[in-house]
């Protein structure tokens, strides 16, 4: 009988201190952080550049007849081809080979969808539901737990809405700028972010407050250079076109984080400034709620002033989380902080409102839903079922699976809807799309339901 071979020692035994010292390298200084940041910037630009066209901008891929008729315009392929043949003025698409499949830009798809909406069957939903004379719905995607797919979920929902035919605006409130990178935005400084809108809102309030000070015989608070410049900025000045024809962007970059320090200074200068209304009222004043159908707000992974602005502006709050104890626990604490924060704002405002006989402040959202992301049914089904029981309607019953399509799209700095299905087998592509299509279906139902409620409320008010 052969002697049993000794098991190898774990790798943390026998580490030689001199070898460890050699591998350690020199100590890192503050300047070392700068070198690391510059290396990351080089890598980030290289990765982002892989999705750029020859002109240096991002370009959205084409869509095939098969994809259009399956996912975008609900008609049979044969009927689709027949309609194109009968209407030569419509986009005819391009073939990559002689007699091969036809491919269309999204702009062309939107034109075709508009044609079918007018000339096609009235029983089919060629164009999405959108009530007249009602403002855009704003959706905030938030959680202070990192790694839950917050930005990815927000980006894919924006793309889903665009493919569905909606006019979409994406607002990046996270100074990390990940959403801005996904949509190829270029932001030089904080003056190309939402910061000047917040500053303008405060400056406008300060002007009114200063007049009251003068009326009382008090000295006014002077508007500094930042506030004076902000008064000249409109939201439209900040909007960038993206490589999606019906998705626009207000981007973010690192300097946006300065707002987290500046906003409390303004609040201390003028306690009457309602900072939580700054984003909503600025967008409304500049008409952006009429120019778009759906506005997505990607918030920072922290409950700071930018997140408060995004949450207060939102009609619908979506909170992505994984099906794990730590993520469930963290999400619960996030909701606890939301409760404390907004209750504190309401209590502070309503003490004065009651004393002056004014209407009280009550924050309200059309819907709040948590979404399970990066779901692995083989390992997380039981916990997800328990979470469903605990949260009830607050947890969307749809689970957003993690598939090969999602992983590869993320590595290539693009959304799954930007991936060419020919890079995968059909089953992988269909499965990857299906999980995000179902997520969009669940979120779209919230949007349509809240719009419908607004419509019925308007009818009821008119009848009184």
């Amino acid at each position: 009988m052969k002697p049993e071979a000794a098991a190898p020692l774990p790798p943390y035994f026998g580490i030689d201190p001199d070898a460890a010292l050699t591998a350690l390298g020199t100590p890192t200084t503050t300047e070392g952080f700068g070198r690391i940041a510059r290396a990351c910037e080089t890598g980030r630009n290289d990765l982002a550049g892989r999705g750029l066209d020859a002109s240096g901008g991002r370009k959205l891929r084409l869509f095939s007849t098969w994809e259009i008729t399956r996912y975008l315009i609900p008609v049979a392929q044969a009927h689709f081809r027949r309609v194109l043949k009968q209407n030569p003025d419509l986009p005819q698409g391009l073939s990559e080979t002689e007699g091969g499949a036809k491919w269309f830009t999204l702009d062309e798809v939107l034109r075709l969808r508009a044609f079918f909406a007018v000339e096609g069957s009235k029983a089919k939903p060629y164009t999405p539901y959108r009530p007249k004379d009602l403002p855009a719905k704003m959706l905030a995607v938030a959680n202070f737990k990192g790694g839950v797919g917050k930005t990815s979920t927000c980006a894919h929902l924006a793309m889903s809405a665009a493919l569905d035919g909606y006019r979409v605006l994406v607002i990046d409130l996270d100074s990390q700028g990940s959403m801005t990178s996904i949509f190829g935005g270029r932001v030089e400084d904080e003056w190309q972010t939402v910061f000047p809108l917040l500053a303008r809102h405060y400056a406008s309030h300060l002007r009114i407050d200063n007049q009251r000070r003068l009326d009382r015989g008090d000295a006014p608070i002077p508007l500094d250079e930042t506030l004076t410049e902000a008064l000249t900025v409109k939201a439209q000045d900040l909007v960038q076109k993206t490589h999606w024809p019906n998705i626009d962007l207000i981007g973010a970059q690192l300097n946006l984080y300065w707002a987290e320090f500046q906003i409390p200074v303004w609040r201390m200068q003028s306690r009457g400034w309602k900072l939580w209304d700054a984003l909503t009222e600025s967008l409304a004043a500049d008409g952006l709620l009429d120019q778009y159908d759906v506005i997505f707000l990607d918030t920072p992974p922290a409950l700071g002033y930018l997140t408060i602005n995004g949450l207060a502006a939102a009609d619908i709050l979506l909170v992505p989380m994984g099906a794990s104890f730590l993520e469930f626990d963290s999400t619960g604490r996030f909701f606890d902080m939301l409760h404390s924060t907004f209750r504190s704002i309401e209590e502070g405002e309503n003490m004065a409102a009651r004393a002056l006989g004014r209407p009280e402040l009550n924050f309200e959202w059309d819907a709040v839903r948590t979404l399970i992301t990066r779901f692995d049914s083989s390992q997380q089904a039981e916990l997800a079922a328990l979470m469903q029981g605990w949260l009830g309607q607050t947890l969307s019953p749809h689970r957003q699976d993690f598939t090969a399509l999602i992983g590869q799209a993320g590595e290539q700095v693009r959304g799954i809807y930007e991936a060419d299905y020919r890079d995968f087998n059909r089953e992988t592509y269909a499965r990857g799309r299906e999980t995000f299509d179902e997520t969009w279906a669940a979120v779209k139902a919230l949007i349509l339901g809240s719009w419908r409620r607004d419509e019925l409320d308007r009818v009821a008010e008119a009848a009184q």
Side-chain angles (χ1 to χ4, degrees), residues 121-276:
S121 170
K122 302 306 177 186
K124 289 189 175 181
Y126 295 112
T127 55
Y129 172 79
R130 171 70 166 94
K132 291 182 179 180
D133 303 323
L134 285 177
K137 283 296 176 183
M138 290 199 279
L139 292 85
V141 183
N143 199 334
F144 61 30
K145 179 75 171 70
V148 297
K150 177 180 62 66
T151 298
S152 174
T153 297
C154 188
H156 283 107
L157 287 173
M159 294 176 189
S160 297
L163 289 173
D164 210 0
Y166 287 115
R167 299 166 299 170
V168 176
L169 175 65
V170 174
I171 301 179
D172 194 350
L173 297 175
D174 187 349
S175 59
Q176 296 178 88
S178 298
M179 180 68 78
T180 302
S181 296
I182 289 173
F183 285 104
R186 299 180 184 275
V187 181
E188 293 183 3
D189 56 35
E190 68 273 17
W191 287 93
Q192 294 179 323
T193 72
V194 298
F195 173 76
L197 297 184
L198 308 182
R200 188 188 78 190
H201 189 271
Y202 173 68
S204 299
H205 166 81
L206 189 56
R207 277 181 161 179
I208 298 172
D209 200 35
N210 276 340
Q211 186 58 55
R212 296 193 186 103
R213 291 171 182 271
L214 289 170
D215 293 342
R216 296 194 304 264
D218 297 335
I221 298 174
L223 272 69
D224 59 24
E225 185 177 345
T226 295
L227 296 176
T228 302
E229 183 176 351
L231 286 168
T232 68
V233 177
K234 294 290 187 182
Q236 287 82 352
D237 301 332
L238 311 174
V239 173
Q240 303 182 41
K241 294 296 182 183
T242 73
H243 55 296
W244 286 71
N246 52 344
I247 298 180
D248 291 343
L249 170 73
I250 296 180
Q253 59 103 257
L254 192 60
N255 286 359
L256 176 59
Y257 194 69
W258 183 48
E260 298 289 356
F261 301 95
Q262 187 61 58
I263 289 175
V265 172
W266 293 335
R267 177 71 169 163
M268 289 297 293
Q269 285 179 339
S270 184
R271 301 292 296 179
W273 177 49
K274 295 176 173 55
L275 63 92
W276 47 87

Side-chain angles (χ1 to χ4, degrees), residues 19 75 203 255 454:
V75 296
N255 286 359
D454 293 344

Side-chain angles (χ1 to χ4, degrees), residues 360-380:
E360 294 189 11
L361 171 66
N362 291 289
F363 290 102
E364 186 176 84
W365 291 265
D366 290 332
V368 174
R369 294 291 185 274
T370 56
L371 307 170
I372 291 182
T373 59
R374 306 176 72 84
F375 180 63
D376 182 349
S377 59
S378 66
Q379 300 184 42
Q380 299 175 324

